[in-house]
Amino acid sequence: MPAYVVNHLELLDEAAASAYRPLAEASVREFGGRYLARGAEAGEHTGTRVVIIEFDNLATALDWWHSQAYAQALALRDGAMRCTMVIVDGLAHAARG
């Protein structure tokens, strides 16, 4: 069953965020993650962004979250953005309705 990382962030420093992004993206790829959505909220022009990443399952999503690769990205995120992130289980395809 897939799992999703839902990240709501407010951009504070574009230069610092530009250093964070490549490391975060590489760490996501390393764990087989796929970006499903990434960008500004509809109608918002305040620096608020939403990012949704899909992983094959919750265990893989949690392994990514606790990985050394993502820890390196996180070190650069501080000061670049304010962030609220949750990891949630997806629904089995048969259960979707």
Side-chain angles (χ1 to χ4, degrees):
M1 191 169 1
Y4 300 92
V5 175
V6 181
N7 193 357
H8 184 261
L9 58 93
E10 178 185 357
L11 189 62
L12 302 174
D13 180 340
E14 179 58 46
S18 292
Y20 161 81
R21 277 187 208 106
L23 290 177
E25 290 170 3
S27 72
V28 166
R29 281 192 308 274
E30 181 179 328
F31 285 83
R34 295 163 296 283
Y35 284 90
L36 300 181
R38 178 165 51 178
E41 289 185 19
E44 293 286 328
H45 302 286
T46 61
T48 302
R49 305 279 188 267
V50 173
V51 176
I52 302 172
I53 305 166
E54 180 183 53
F55 288 93
D56 288 338
N57 52 58
L58 183 60
T60 302
L62 291 171
D63 286 346
W64 164 77
W65 172 252
H66 295 291
S67 71
Q68 182 61 35
Y70 190 58
Q72 292 173 357
L74 280 177
L76 297 175
R77 191 182 76 185
D78 291 343
M81 56 194 80
R82 269 192 285 262
C83 182
T84 302
M85 182 183 294
V86 295
I87 300 175
V88 296
D89 259 328
L91 299 174
H93 293 289
R96 291 183 183 166

